[in-house]
Structure formats: C-alpha cells, structure tokens
Amino acid sequence: MPMAAAVTPVPDLPSYATLPTKRVPAGRPREWYETHHRRLKAMRLAIALLNSGVYRPEQAPNRTIRTTAARIGVRPPSDTTCRMVRSLIRYEQR
C-alpha cells in the first residue's frame, strides 16, 4: 500500500507592493547579470514561500517552488534557482 506524501498546500498569496526596479550597471560580463537576476528571483520566491507557510527547505520541492512562481507571476525557475531558494530558506534548529 503506497503512502501518501504530506504536502502543505500553498494558499493564495496576497499581493504586496514591490520596490521600484533600478537599472543594473552597464559594462559587466553577461554571467554577472545572469547571476544577479537569478538571485533576485530566488529571493522573491523564498519570500513568497515563507509568506505561504513554507519554513523548511524540505517543505519546498521543485514542484512547490514552481507552483509558487506561477502564482506570483514569475517564470518557472530552473533546478539551479530552486536549489538557491532552498538554501535561502535554510532551517537551523536551536
């Protein structure tokens, strides 16, 4: 008999006013821009997950992160970005 996985449902997220975007500095290598935008996306997703009740990395599989991305209007993240999101939600038990 297969066991059911416990998945925390992600509620509808409230829309928050975001900070205005700033232009990124010109003249940097392309890799810098890609990394910069990946970090911003990971932070947005981590904040949305924390607001929805996901407080531990093991509660955030790629599927949950991608579902949250769709709900907040962000393009689906890559596996690398999903790993970055989980590292931002790291849990330290004291």
Side-chain angles (χ1 to χ4, degrees):
M1 184 179 339
M3 294 183 64
V7 178
T8 306
V10 180
D12 289 334
L13 301 172
S15 61
Y16 294 107
T18 58
L19 295 173
T21 58
K22 296 181 184 178
R23 294 181 58 119
V24 292
R28 307 242 175 160
R30 181 172 179 82
E31 292 172 1
W32 184 89
Y33 297 105
E34 290 171 356
T35 303
H36 174 74
H37 291 297
R38 185 183 306 272
R39 287 177 182 157
L40 289 177
K41 186 178 199 175
M43 284 190 288
R44 278 190 217 106
L45 287 166
I47 291 167
L49 286 165
L50 289 167
N51 286 338
S52 68
V54 175
Y55 300 114
R56 304 176 97 186
E58 55 273 5
Q59 293 176 315
N62 290 357
R63 185 179 202 168
T64 302
I65 294 171
R66 290 185 175 119
T67 302
T68 303
R71 288 190 176 159
I72 65 171
V74 176
R75 290 181 57 133
S78 66
D79 291 343
T80 304
T81 305
C82 289
R83 278 193 304 273
M84 193 177 287
V85 169
R86 281 189 290 276
S87 73
L88 289 170
I89 319 175
R90 95 178 145 243
Y91 175 76
E92 294 181 21
Q93 191 172 10
R94 295 180 187 221

